[in-house]
Amino acid sequence: MSVVVAHLSTPEGREALDSAAIEAVRRGTELVVVVTEGSTSTPELAAAHEDDLRRVEERLEGTGTTLRREQGTSDLADDLVSAAERASADLIVIGLRRRSPVGKLILGSNAQRILLDAPCPVLAVKPERAAGA
């Protein structure tokens, strides 16, 4: 069993990664991080990505929870659902952007596909609002 998350170096991606790490430790299970092609497409993104993963690996030290990376493609929804199926996942964690009142009527297409196709529960998280926002 495991907790599956895709990581992007965005506020939403970092919140999803942090929340997935917390859930994996709480459940005493492996954390599977799906690395998509877009998450490391530039040297800057690749460096930020590695920093985020290193930070989470340090947090997991001594907890008994391990982090495993899986290479994905450019289709985030398919990658997450496939990784969850292969790992017999307990949970998929996704990050959501804050939306305008009109945008709240429409869930992002990747999030919608993951929610509809996931073989397990999905936890959707949003980053905290900045002070004064």
Side-chain angles (χ1 to χ4, degrees):
M1 299 303 234
S2 62
V3 174
V4 176
V5 64
H7 178 256
L8 301 172
S9 291
T10 63
E12 298 83 16
R14 288 185 186 101
E15 186 67 31
L17 182 61
D18 290 344
S19 295
I22 290 166
E23 284 295 321
V25 169
R26 187 175 73 76
R27 295 165 186 260
T29 191
E30 179 180 51
L31 175 61
V32 177
V33 179
V34 177
V35 180
T36 61
E37 291 174 354
S39 66
T40 57
S41 59
T42 67
E44 294 81 16
L45 283 175
H49 180 81
E50 284 304 314
D51 287 345
D52 290 341
L53 291 179
R54 192 172 13 264
R55 178 179 47 80
V56 169
E57 285 175 327
E58 288 171 2
R59 182 190 298 167
L60 295 178
E61 283 181 19
T63 65
T65 297
T66 58
L67 184 148
R68 177 169 51 93
R69 300 177 194 204
E70 277 198 18
Q71 186 61 46
T73 64
S74 59
D75 190 329
L76 177 67
D78 280 348
D79 291 342
L80 274 176
V81 170
S82 295
E85 289 170 345
R86 283 190 303 278
S88 298
D90 295 314
L91 182 71
I92 296 173
V93 180
I94 61 173
L96 296 179
R97 284 178 286 170
R98 297 198 177 276
R99 297 185 180 274
S100 68
V102 172
K104 288 179 182 177
L105 294 173
I106 305 168
L107 190 62
S109 63
N110 277 331
Q112 185 175 20
R113 286 176 48 213
I114 293 164
L115 287 168
L116 293 173
D117 296 341
C120 59
V122 177
L123 172 63
V125 297
K126 294 189 292 188
E128 290 185 34
R129 289 184 189 256

